[in-house]
Structure formats: C-alpha cells, structure tokens
Amino acid sequence: MNHAEYMHRCIEIATNGIGKVSPNPMVGAVIVHNAKIIGEGFHQGFGLAHGEVNAIESVKNKSLLSESTLYVSLEPCNHFGKTPPCTELIVKHRIPKVVIGSLDSNPLVAGKGIKFLNESGIKVVSGILEKECRELNKRFYQFYENKLPYIILKWAQSMDGIIGQHQRPNLSISNELSRLLVHKWRSEESSIMVGTTTALLDNPTLNVRDVSGKNPLRIVLDKDLKLPSSLHLLDGTIPTLVFTYKKNKSTKNLEYIQFPKQVDELQFVLSTLYERKVLSVLIEGGTKLLQSFIKQNLWHEARIFTSNKVLGNGIVAPTLNGNITSTMQLKNDTLVVIKNTNR
C-alpha cells in the first residue's frame, strides 16, 4: 500500500466521529510497520482522546512504534486543550515518520504541530489526499478560515416544484426512507434552523428520531414573538435559541436573543453562532428563509429531495445555482446535492 491508501483508511475511520466531536475536527490515524497496519484509532468525542492517541494505544507491541510510520488525516495538535498535545506523545514513543493529510486551520495549531515534530527530529510528509481530508472536515475549515458556520440548505419538493401547502400543514412530500436520512443528517450537524411560518404551520420538533445521535441545537427566527409557548420548539427539552426584536425572559434550554436595531438579521445570527462555536447549520425551511440565505449567498451546500408526487399548487420551492455533486435514488424520491460554486 502507498501513502494514499493508508490516508484513505484514516479518512474512513475518522467519519465514525461525525456528529460527536464538534467543535473539534474529525481525525483518523493509522500506524504502519513493515507495510502492515498495527494500530488505528479515531477521535471519538469532544473532550476525549484524539485519533493519534487512540491509534498509539491500540498497538499491542509498543516497541514497534520506533520503527513505524504514523498516518493521520489532520496535523497533530501541539497545545493543551481538553487533552494533552498529541505531538508530545508521538515524540515520547519515538515514532520516526508522520504522514499528514491536511494542515490544521485552528490558530492554536496551524503549522505548530509540524514545526514541533520537525524540531524533534521526526520526518514529516504532508498534503497526502489533502482535498479529501479538507472535505472530511469542511465544517471545521469553513469555521476557522471564514469565521462562518457551514450552512446546509435542505428541502423536499414535488415533481412540479411545490414545497408545501398552507391548507395542509405537515404535508409529507418525501418518503420514509428520505425522512430517515434527514434524521441522520440532523445527528451530524451542530444546529438546525427554521423560520416563524414553518414553526407555526408544522410545529416541528427538530430532534433526532429513529437513528442514534445527538440532537442539534435548535434555532428559530421569531422577530415579533408570534410563536405560542405550546409549540414543540419552545418546550425546553432541547437547547433552543430564539432570535427576536422583542425582549423576553430566557428559561432552561430556551434562550431569547434580541436583534440590535438596523441589523442584517442573517449575518447577526451567523455571527452569534460563530461566537458560540457552532460549526454548522442545517436550514430546514421554509421557502422564505431558504431563499433569504440563497439571496445573500450564505450557503455552502443544498440537499434537495424531489418526489414523484404532483401537487398542482402551493408554496413554490426555492431556486438556486450551483454544481451538482451527487444524486441518489431513494425509492420514488431523488436526492440531489448541490455545492455553492461562489463560496
């Protein structure tokens, strides 16, 4: 196997940490001795040991480490955070060579890990499958390099481009398989957001169901405090942020954040989320909110389900331009993923 093949394995195991490590990045590590993998590990959860540590700990015969190569999808950290520096552990076990996928954009690391390893006499190779490693941590890189959460737009539409009907709240356009996938997505993102109309019409819970995973932070725009306290979004069972122009008292798991006067509302929301280290936002509608993000070019990825249903009339789905990166058939639904080429 060559560098790329071992790095592919790092990426593969790193994905086991999705939805569990934020605001940290996902990291996978593999230890190779005489062309044989003798250890591997990944970052399993925020505050827990990093991938390199778990990989080293998995090696039964630690004496082999001084003759091995460590492959890791992200530059090892060189600072004390929730855990000790990974670089010091690498040096302690006298691992002679480290192969890195991509550099870390966190200013606490940002090249310092490689510098420390080089100064400690360890050979470092970097940039192996860099594009793939950056895609693995697209949320993390977006956050640190552009000071903005990674924004995913999601909606389901009929074959004739209808996203909903006012006279039919909670209208299911997509099928059960697509809805299950959406719950998996929710478990993978830091937060989820809807506007006032969707909250009123659909009374969504915005939690994770039918799959295992952590509930995302719920976010709702309620500029004039129109939403009744009986809604699921305001039940206090899941941490929820309500952005509004009016003052209101916050309670457990329900925080009201007041917009300043004459403010760009979406920019204010995203700046607030950035300050709170929220790495990603899944926007679940409705059309007005989705189109607002599109108009301001505040999106990175769109995931659109199109069913074989024809509704004839109703709320028209948003429109956007971008590159289709993947398509998937889910029974009678077609899922298209579109990347924003202007960000």
Side-chain angles (χ1 to χ4, degrees), residues 223-238:
K223 299 177 188 178
D224 300 313
L225 291 183
K226 292 180 179 179
L227 300 180
S229 59
S230 58
L231 293 181
H232 294 310
L233 282 174
L234 307 179
D235 61 12
T237 59
I238 298 169

Side-chain angles (χ1 to χ4, degrees), residues 60-304:
K60 293 180 180 179
N61 184 355
K62 297 291 192 293
S63 66
L64 297 179
L65 290 170
S66 62
E67 304 169 355
S68 301
T69 299
L70 168 67
Y71 289 82
V72 60
S73 56
L74 186 74
E75 177 184 4
C77 66
N78 188 42
H79 68 285
F80 281 89
K82 293 285 185 180
T83 58
C86 293
T87 50
E88 291 187 3
L89 187 66
I90 293 168
V91 171
K92 175 185 174 182
H93 286 282
R94 295 180 290 120
I95 297 174
K97 185 175 180 181
V98 177
V99 180
I100 297 168
S102 58
L103 301 186
D104 195 326
S105 289
N106 185 338
L108 291 173
V109 184
K112 297 172 186 174
I114 289 177
K115 184 173 183 285
F116 181 84
L117 292 174
N118 280 328
E119 290 174 349
S120 300
I122 294 173
K123 182 178 179 181
V124 178
V125 177
S126 62
I128 305 301
L129 297 187
E130 182 177 13
K131 182 179 178 182
E132 292 87 344
C133 289
R134 284 183 63 88
E135 176 64 20
L136 168 71
N137 282 308
K138 56 191 177 185
R139 301 160 183 83
F140 175 81
Y141 282 111
Q142 171 60 39
F143 182 84
Y144 277 104
E145 293 177 1
N146 297 311
K147 295 180 170 51
L148 188 73
Y150 190 85
I151 301 164
I152 302 168
L153 310 180
K154 169 262 163 185
W155 71 84
Q157 63 186 34
S158 63
M159 191 178 290
D160 53 344
I162 301 300
I163 197 173
Q165 295 177 323
H166 286 293
Q167 70 273 24
R168 297 171 67 186
N170 294 310
L171 171 65
S172 292
I173 295 176
S174 57
N175 62 41
E176 71 281 357
L177 191 58
S178 297
R179 291 193 292 273
L180 184 66
L181 180 57
V182 169
H183 281 279
K184 180 176 180 293
W185 290 344
R186 289 179 179 180
S187 74
E188 295 172 350
E189 305 307 330
S190 303
S191 66
I192 185 168
M193 182 177 180
V194 294
T196 308
T197 303
T198 298
L200 279 171
L201 287 178
D202 297 344
N203 190 20
T205 307
L206 300 188
N207 61 0
V208 174
R209 302 186 297 277
D210 302 321
V211 298
S212 62
K214 184 181 177 182
N215 290 316
L217 170 71
R218 300 187 299 197
I219 303 164
V220 60
L221 298 187
D222 185 14
K223 299 177 188 178
D224 300 313
L225 291 183
K226 292 180 179 179
L227 300 180
S229 59
S230 58
L231 293 181
H232 294 310
L233 282 174
L234 307 179
D235 61 12
T237 59
I238 298 169
T240 304
L241 302 182
V242 180
F243 285 86
T244 179
Y245 280 102
K246 297 188 176 182
K247 286 185 178 180
N248 202 17
K249 185 179 179 180
S250 298
T251 56
K252 183 181 178 182
N253 281 339
L254 183 59
E255 182 177 356
Y256 288 87
I257 300 175
Q258 195 170 2
F259 285 119
K261 293 180 180 179
Q262 297 179 331
V263 70
D264 184 314
E265 294 162 359
L266 296 187
Q267 289 284 3
F268 178 79
V269 170
L270 296 178
S271 295
T272 302
L273 297 180
Y274 171 77
E275 290 169 1
R276 294 172 180 233
K277 291 195 172 182
V278 176
L279 264 60
S280 63
V281 191
L282 180 62
I283 312 293
E284 287 215 10
T287 294
K288 183 179 178 182
L289 181 63
L290 289 162
Q291 202 68 61
S292 295
F293 275 92
I294 294 167
K295 183 179 179 181
Q296 294 193 40
N297 196 36
L298 291 172
W299 66 282
H300 302 96
E301 183 179 321
R303 302 172 183 177
I304 306 166

